[in-house]
Amino acid sequence: MIPIVPLATGNESVVQHDVQHYMRPGTLQLSTLPPLSLYVHLPWCLKKCPYCDFNSHELGAPKMPAASAPQGGASGLGRPGAGWPGEGLPEQRYVDALVADLEAALPLIWGRTIHSIFIGGGTPSLFAPATIDRLLSDIRARLKLEPNCEITLEANPGTFEKDRFRAFRQAGVTRLSIGVQSFNDTHLQALGRVHDRAQALAAVEEAAQAFDTFNLDIMYALPGQTLEQVGQDMAQALQFAPPHISIYHLTIEPNTYFAKYPPQIPEDDTAYGMLDHITELTGVAGLERYEVSAYAKAGHRCFHNLNYWQFGDYLGIGAGAHSKLSFAHRVVRQVRLRDPRLYMERALAGNALAQAEEVARADLPFEYMLNALRLRNGFGLRDFTERTGLAVTAIEAALNEAERKGLIERDFARVRPTVRGFDFLSDLQAIFLSNGM
Ligand code: SF4
């Protein structure tokens, strides 16, 4: 990465949007700009999960079980009653900061249409539907959204009342993504989740009623989990006929509670068997594995995530949010300040950037492959040139090596990972690290 535009101001370094710098001539030639998505980060959760390395901040234990949470104000777009677990969140100030952050970034995306919005976290469903309604109205007032723009909101079981999901739908959310992880109480406890099986079932039932399209996040290779239990979780999930499922292997990430106190998780071979079982069960239910961890029915693929994997552009606003933006002669990455309080303070003062870097020409092939090779259908060679501004000759040697090792198959127009390439994805991607330009 080539760092750009850090401005020294006394004893601290401030990073700023520098449109003029981004627009200057450079060695890359992007003939056209990719689709643009918007990511909005809401960084609070009821409790930090022991495996989580996202920018999420603990709000405190729920004040009451979701089943007995107040109903008042949940229908329509009203605010939840007193005692709501998310009570005390600085919702309005945070949305003010998001809007200020967006306005500061507008010159970077001037005239471009937004193809999808993803409100992620953290636990965005802790925010009141009325606040999400305000956020989306404020975004619409400043950006041109594509008609039928996909708008996803992440929700967790245990953070909703009756009709709450319907209220998010009324606010303009078109797709709900629910962090179920498991339907097994023992495994939910081992994962440190705040919800139980009954709450997971209630949340999915409510989502299926309120949304035409929704996603369930399910994890496998959990502490003490057997193949049979994986099958039980999947059978339960598939009973709801979900249009989309995302499957995640429990991994132990640095700087998490599990990194310090690692649980006993299934061996790699057992985990591979679990994934094969999941792919088989989802296939029978009519869901196609279109990406390493994503399974969808026809017409229900997630546009927002596809745009990431196809090396599209995204503007990320909110604490710790990442952006990737293309200009005629360069690709730029940005990161916002991670700490929510500091983020709000700085965003409201006009600048919430923590880092801004131009992606080095030599890093572009690997960055592209990290994403595109996750897709079952791979990528078009023309797309590679369009998105990176590089000629295909830049990856010819790496493509030859990957083909020789049986990790990809290709014709004159497309490159696809083979079944082996999909199974050994990081080995395949690494070829483009060492064999880049
Ligand atoms: S609910 Fe999700 S974002 Fe929040 S701590 Fe758990 S894993 Fe992280």
Side-chain angles (χ1 to χ4, degrees), residues 27-83:
T27 54
L28 284 185
Q29 300 291 336
L30 271 67
S31 55
T32 174
L33 298 181
L36 175 64
S37 295
L38 177 71
Y39 176 76
V40 184
H41 193 75
L42 307 187
W44 289 282
C45 289
L46 289 177
K47 183 173 161 268
K48 186 81 177 172
C49 300
Y51 57 89
C52 177
D53 69 340
F54 299 148
N55 187 31
S56 61
H57 299 261
E58 188 161 311
L59 194 62
K63 295 183 178 76
M64 65 178 66
S68 62
Q71 306 292 308
S75 57
L77 295 175
R79 299 191 60 76

Side-chain angles (χ1 to χ4, degrees), residues 211-278:
F211 285 86
D212 296 332
T213 192
F214 62 93
N215 168 64
L216 306 182
D217 281 348
I218 304 284
M219 295 176 81
Y220 72 100
L222 307 178
Q225 193 179 37
T226 63
L227 186 67
E228 194 189 350
Q229 288 169 328
V230 170
Q232 287 163 358
D233 263 354
M234 291 309 298
Q236 182 62 73
L238 292 168
Q239 264 189 21
F240 291 100
H244 196 287
I245 298 187
S246 300
I247 300 291
Y248 299 103
H249 185 302
L250 172 63
T251 47
I252 309 299
E253 303 294 342
N255 304 317
T256 60
Y257 180 86
F258 273 178
K260 211 167 166 189
Y261 305 101
Q264 191 72 33
I265 54 173
E267 301 286 328
D268 282 353
D269 281 354
T270 311
Y272 275 125
M274 289 174 169
L275 185 59
D276 285 347
H277 192 38
I278 289 168

Side-chain angles (χ1 to χ4, degrees), residues 265-304:
I265 54 173
E267 301 286 328
D268 282 353
D269 281 354
T270 311
Y272 275 125
M274 289 174 169
L275 185 59
D276 285 347
H277 192 38
I278 289 168
T279 304
E280 189 189 319
L281 293 172
T282 47
V284 170
L287 291 114
E288 190 191 348
R289 187 183 185 194
Y290 68 102
E291 188 265 348
V292 168
S293 52
Y295 301 70
K297 289 194 173 152
H300 290 276
R301 293 180 178 192
C302 174
F303 179 90
H304 190 87

Side-chain angles (χ1 to χ4, degrees), residues 321-341:
H322 290 238
S323 304
K324 178 241 164 195
L325 296 170
S326 304
F327 299 84
H329 302 293
R330 55 186 44 76
V331 176
V332 169
R333 291 199 180 276
Q334 296 182 332
V335 187
R336 265 50 177 179
L337 291 158
R338 279 177 69 87
D339 176 72
R341 307 270 151 206

